[in-house]
Amino acid sequence: MRVVGEDIKVDVYPIQQAIKLAQDQGLDLVEISPNADPPVCKIVDYSKFKYEQKKKQKEIKAKALKVVLKEIRFGPNTDEHDFNFKLKHAENFLKEGAKVKATVFFPGRSIVYKERGEILLLKFAQGLEEFGKVEQLPKLEGKRMGMIIMPKAGKK
């Protein structure tokens, strides 16, 4: 196995000799790359190694983009003014970089107007065309019809 570390000549050693080298320094032999040929091990303090790994993971997680999903609800008979009001809110959400989930809720027997809901959602997507693009087309789930719009990459 190939052994790397501080104060050690990088070379290929037999396993027993590598373990002895680590013990002589009072450190641990940690396998870094098991799939390499030969496998790569590092002589290091194991607790320090784990701490560094955890620190790197935390840093990666902090840099990860957190996706916010905002929901806007409609009824199948949403009026023009209410529609425009909600459209403006959705524009602001998309400008902030959040995804928008537009939902049409069909209370009671109004499920018979599902085509109205679909038309409403498609009109909504058309109104937000310049701010975002449709990630998921209108889909009926029980008494709700939903659609997800994600912000365009350049708008932030």
Side-chain angles (χ1 to χ4, degrees):
M1 77 177 36
R2 184 175 305 278
V3 178
V4 296
E6 297 168 19
D7 306 331
I8 288 172
K9 181 176 171 242
V10 177
D11 203 358
V12 178
Y13 296 99
I15 294 172
Q16 293 304 323
Q17 190 179 352
I19 292 171
K20 187 169 180 353
L21 280 170
Q23 286 174 346
D24 290 345
Q25 294 186 358
L27 297 172
D28 303 304
L29 187 67
V30 180
E31 192 172 34
I32 302 294
S33 179
N35 299 334
D37 190 32
V40 179
C41 290
K42 187 174 186 178
I43 294 179
V44 68
D45 184 12
Y46 187 67
S47 57
K48 185 178 177 184
F49 175 73
K50 288 298 282 181
Y51 171 74
E52 293 291 332
Q53 269 192 330
K54 200 179 273 188
K55 199 171 169 183
K56 282 181 188 173
Q57 288 295 330
K58 208 172 194 179
E59 205 172 289
I60 290 168
K61 195 175 180 183
K63 286 182 182 177
L65 185 67
K66 291 171 179 68
V67 178
V68 180
L69 183 68
K70 301 280 191 170
E71 184 173 5
I72 294 183
R73 289 180 58 174
F74 297 98
N77 302 318
T78 302
D79 199 29
E80 192 66 33
H81 176 265
D82 295 335
F83 177 82
N84 290 332
F85 184 79
K86 291 179 182 197
L87 191 69
K88 291 274 185 266
H89 275 284
E91 281 179 19
N92 291 335
F93 293 150
L94 289 170
K95 284 177 186 173
E96 291 168 8
K99 286 185 179 183
V100 175
K101 179 176 184 177
T103 308
V104 178
F105 183 67
F106 298 98
R109 294 189 178 147
S110 64
I111 194 75
V112 294
Y113 300 116
K114 57 182 165 239
E115 59 280 338
R116 272 194 205 172
E118 192 168 355
I119 290 168
L120 187 75
L121 287 176
L122 292 172
K123 184 176 160 190
F124 188 71
Q126 204 170 22
L128 295 172
E129 225 169 8
E130 61 187 83
F131 302 100
K133 62 178 185 241
V134 177
E135 184 178 297
Q136 179 186 337
L137 287 168
K139 187 170 117 185
L140 191 66
E141 300 159 356
K143 286 193 163 211
R144 294 170 164 247
M145 185 178 284
M147 172 179 72
I148 298 176
I149 301 172
M150 59 188 280
K152 284 193 174 169
K155 301 276 183 190
K156 273 199 176 176

